[in-house]
Structures are given as structure tokens and as C-alpha cells.
Amino acid sequence: MNRLKQCTKKALAGSITRLMHRANRTEGGALVEMAVTLPLILLIMTGIFSFSVALHQKLLLSEAVSNAGRTLAIERGQTDPCADTYTALTAAAPTLDPSQLSVSMTLKSGGTSYANSCSGSGSAMSAGDTAQIVATYPCVLGVYGVSFSRCQLRSQISEVVQ
């Protein structure tokens, strides 16, 4: 009988040890952690990507406006300096949609200001006059089709006519 008690105690201790071992297993823990954190990480990464696209568009717009300002400043004597300037602006920003781009050009010659209609006014431009360009472009900050913000990218430059 004593021997039977010992066998029963050993069997009971063995099954308790097996149950404890199963309860302490961590084989699926990494999978569960990944399933919980992966959507959050993807959301953050997509937000960073969306913001970086808007930042790239802003830098591209600024460089294009700078290039167009230099072009307008040297267009003295030309028949249509605004058309040449707009062409220079769109050529410097090939990834921006020209139909979304809003451009305002102002030439200040003496006391007269020509706004957006400088056809034939190239001959009226004098050295030392001011040429100003303002451009705006819409951007959308969004993640997975959800728009968080509509923004307007804006850049302007003033150049002295040469």
C-alpha cells in the first residue's frame, strides 16, 4: 500500500509539472505582439510617407517659383514675359499638376503695377523694377483614404528686373 501511495504521488507530481510547463509556454507570444503592434506601426509609417510627399511638393514649388522669378527678372524687352515665366515654372516642377497650380505675377514698373497680364509689357519693364511671383498648390494630408487636413502650399519671390 505504501508503494501505491508513492506511485500515486509521483504520478500526481508529474502531471502537475506537465500542466505547469504548458501554462508557462511562450511560443505564440511574439505572434500576438506583432498582431497587436503591426497596424499601429503601419499607420505611423503611412502618415510619415504622406507628410513627406507634402514636404517634397513644397520644396519643389519653392524651387520652381525661384526659377520662374529669375526668368521673369531677365525677360525685359520680350513680348510676353509672363508666358515665358509660366513655362519656366511648370518646367521646373514636372511632378506638380499644372491645372492645380495657381500663379500670380506682378510687375511694378515705376508707379504702375501689371498683374497677370504682362503681354506686351516686357518692353515697359525697366531695369530696377520689381517682379513678384506668388504660386499656390493644394495638398492633402491623409492616411488610408482618411483626410486629416487640406492645406495650401504657398511660395513667393520678388526679383529686381535686370
Side-chain angles (χ1 to χ4, degrees):
M1 186 75 150
N2 213 2
R3 197 155 218 254
L4 182 62
K5 282 185 180 181
Q6 276 184 333
C7 285
T8 309
K9 282 183 181 181
K10 283 184 181 180
L12 186 60
S15 48
I16 289 176
T17 304
R18 281 192 301 274
L19 285 174
M20 293 292 286
H21 178 66
R22 284 185 185 167
N24 290 332
R25 286 194 319 188
T26 57
E27 293 170 357
L31 183 64
V32 171
E33 289 172 7
M34 188 185 78
V36 170
T37 59
L38 188 64
L40 182 62
I41 289 172
L42 289 176
L43 185 69
I44 290 170
M45 293 290 288
T46 308
I48 290 170
F49 178 74
S50 177
F51 182 74
S52 66
V53 167
L55 183 62
H56 170 72
Q57 289 175 342
K58 171 63 177 166
L59 293 173
L60 193 63
L61 181 66
S62 295
E63 183 60 32
V65 167
S66 178
N67 187 27
R70 287 189 298 272
T71 301
L72 186 59
I74 62 171
E75 287 288 312
R76 184 168 52 112
Q78 302 298 321
T79 56
D80 196 359
C82 285
D84 295 341
T85 302
Y86 185 79
T87 302
L89 191 141
T90 54
T95 58
L96 297 182
D97 183 11
S99 65
Q100 300 280 325
L101 195 59
S102 173
V103 181
S104 168
M105 293 178 235
T106 305
L107 299 172
K108 293 180 183 172
S109 178
T112 309
S113 181
Y114 304 95
N116 286 340
S117 60
C118 51
S119 179
S121 66
S123 59
M125 293 169 55
S126 304
D129 290 346
T130 304
Q132 182 181 25
I133 299 175
V134 178
T136 58
Y137 190 78
C139 73
V140 178
L141 294 175
V143 177
Y144 294 117
V146 177
S147 177
F148 293 112
S149 172
R150 289 206 168 279
C151 59
Q152 282 284 9
L153 304 175
R154 184 176 188 275
S155 184
Q156 77 177 41
I157 192 167
S158 294
E159 292 279 342
V160 176
V161 175
Q162 302 299 311

